[in-house]
Amino acid sequence: MSSALTDLFRHPIVQAPMAGGVSVPQLAAAVSEAGGLGFLAAGYKTADGMYQEIKQLRGLTNRPFGVNLFMPQPEYADRAAVDVYAHQLAGEAGWYETELGDPDSGRDDGFDAKLAVLLDNPVPVVSFHFGCPSRDVLDALRRVGTRTLVTATTADEARAVERAGADGVIAQGVEAGGHQGTHRDIPETDGSGLGLLSLVAQVREAVGIPVVAAGGIMRGGQIAAVLAAGASAAQLGTAFLVTPESGASPLHKQALTNPLFVRTELTRAFSGRPARGLVNRFLREHGPYAPAAYPEIHHLTSPLRKAAAKAGDAQGMALWAGQGHRMARELPAGQLVEVLAAELAAARAVLAGGAR
């Protein structure tokens, strides 16, 4: 990775920005203090809410950190399909004694307002999910000293990121937990995608900008593997989700290693966009019927997910998790960074020894 980015961290470990209250300032600060790169997630937050979290994070560490933004989404949802899905979820609303959410309540995620805050109060890094911003946006951030990263799930998307002028690309493999950062989501998208190592290799050949590898990484040996494949750093989400600093609910943290939840699956059930989570009752019953309608479905199911969490029912929650979830370690975030760095060093030593 270019010096413009590698001087931000001591270890090539990036904490993924997990929206929905997981990536809180305490988590980002702990990761950055330990030599990684911590991230805040601005998705589903107001511009002021994002600003307040940035202010809090700056009070916890003077180390570099990042902020993630969701790109605005085009309006191509099939309204009739959304209505049909709402009718299907009526039983869930009755079970949890709540109302369904308004699917039109949050299409505007406040992207422009958040960008304005970040231009007035620059942060070290800004990353983007669900699409690629324009060159004007990336250039504006560069002028205030902010480095930029954009998620890509294919080599073609990575080329678009490079053409737009980003400082680096996050290559997200299909193993990743949470939402796939595809630049365009259409009803025909089946949620399939490349495994991380194949994706990193293809992206590395396609672009000349630094690559951050993301997807299912839980151990330092896996970080060594993606670095050997051409990445300059690794981004981990699920590995940090179970740390005490994470804002994830106790039910979510416990579910990652609970024998009741043995596998993950890509689903539209909770948000209308492909996202990987632990297979539970809600996902099994509703996943096959959820339309491609983001963020409409996210807002429609929001009260259901909150009610399930309040009731202590993990079977009705969105339990986002990567394929490596069973390898989660309940360590403090700073200690986890140190353990991962030690494992990375050991793996590199073995590789170096074998190369002699």
Side-chain angles (χ1 to χ4, degrees):
M1 188 174 290
S2 66
S3 59
L5 288 170
T6 53
D7 61 7
L8 296 178
F9 43 74
R10 187 167 71 254
H11 305 301
I13 297 169
V14 179
Q15 167 245 312
M18 295 168 280
V22 179
S23 295
V24 293
Q26 293 81 358
L27 174 59
V31 172
S32 290
E33 281 290 301
L37 183 64
F39 255 91
L40 295 175
Y44 311 131
K45 289 186 172 65
T46 64
D48 183 64
M50 178 194 72
Y51 172 75
Q52 294 301 326
E53 286 207 344
I54 292 172
K55 184 177 178 180
Q56 185 180 355
L57 176 53
R58 283 178 165 146
L60 296 173
T61 182
N62 58 7
R63 296 291 304 156
F65 63 91
V67 175
N68 176 258
L69 298 180
F70 286 169
M71 290 296 297
Q73 298 300 291
E75 296 189 31
Y76 54 72
D78 183 341
R79 299 303 307 179
V82 173
D83 292 340
V84 169
Y85 194 56
H87 180 73
Q88 178 179 331
L89 296 179
E92 298 282 351
W95 177 258
Y96 289 115
E97 299 181 340
T98 189
E99 300 290 331
L100 294 175
D102 179 0
D104 298 315
S105 63
R107 169 158 286 282
D108 181 7
D109 191 47
F111 178 84
D112 291 339
K114 293 172 189 177
L115 183 61
V117 169
L118 294 170
L119 290 173
D120 287 340
N121 301 271
V123 300
V125 183
V126 171
S127 68
F128 298 88
H129 208 60
F130 296 150
C132 184
S134 68
R135 177 173 286 276
D136 287 345
V137 168
L138 296 173
D139 285 348
L141 288 166
R142 182 174 294 107
R143 285 194 294 270
V144 298
T146 296
R147 292 83 179 258
T148 54
L149 296 166
V150 181
T151 299
T153 61
T154 67
D156 283 344
E157 289 179 351
R159 292 187 187 96
V161 170
E162 184 176 42
R163 287 195 299 270
D167 293 305
V169 59
I170 300 169
Q172 184 194 38
V174 73
E175 304 94 332
H179 286 92
Q180 293 284 295
T182 53
H183 290 191
R184 185 166 178 261
D185 183 32
I186 56 177
E188 290 75 20
T189 300
D190 63 3
S192 64
L194 286 174
L196 183 57
L197 287 176
S198 294
L199 178 62
V200 168
Q202 291 187 25
V203 169
R204 181 67 284 162
E205 290 189 2
V207 302
I209 56 177
V211 177
V212 176
I217 301 173
M218 304 292 288
R219 295 288 189 268
Q222 293 171 291
I223 298 175
V226 296
L227 296 183
S232 298
Q235 179 172 280
L236 293 76
T238 304
F240 286 105
L241 193 150
V242 297
T243 63
E245 295 90 346
S246 158
S249 72
L251 279 174
H252 194 168
K253 293 181 180 182
Q254 294 162 10
L256 293 184
T257 53
N258 187 327
L260 284 175
F261 305 107
V262 297
R263 65 186 181 90
T264 64
E265 188 175 294
L266 285 169
T267 184
R268 297 183 188 271
F270 299 101
S271 72
R273 234 184 187 271
R276 183 172 298 281
L278 299 175
V279 177
N280 60 5
R281 178 194 60 78
F282 194 103
L283 190 155
R284 284 193 302 270
E285 293 182 1
H286 302 294
Y289 311 104
Y294 177 89
E296 287 82 2
I297 300 305
H298 166 81
H299 294 293
L300 181 72
T301 67
S302 179
L304 298 178
R305 291 178 276 121
K306 292 176 180 176
K310 185 177 181 180
D313 183 8
Q315 296 291 346
M317 297 168 58
L319 302 173
W320 303 137
Q323 288 185 341
H325 66 95
R326 304 292 291 181
M327 301 170 72
R329 298 178 283 200
E330 297 181 19
L331 299 173
Q335 184 180 347
L336 179 57
V337 171
E338 294 170 357
V339 169
L340 289 166
E343 292 173 345
L344 169 60
R348 280 177 152 174
V350 170
L351 290 173
R356 292 192 183 100

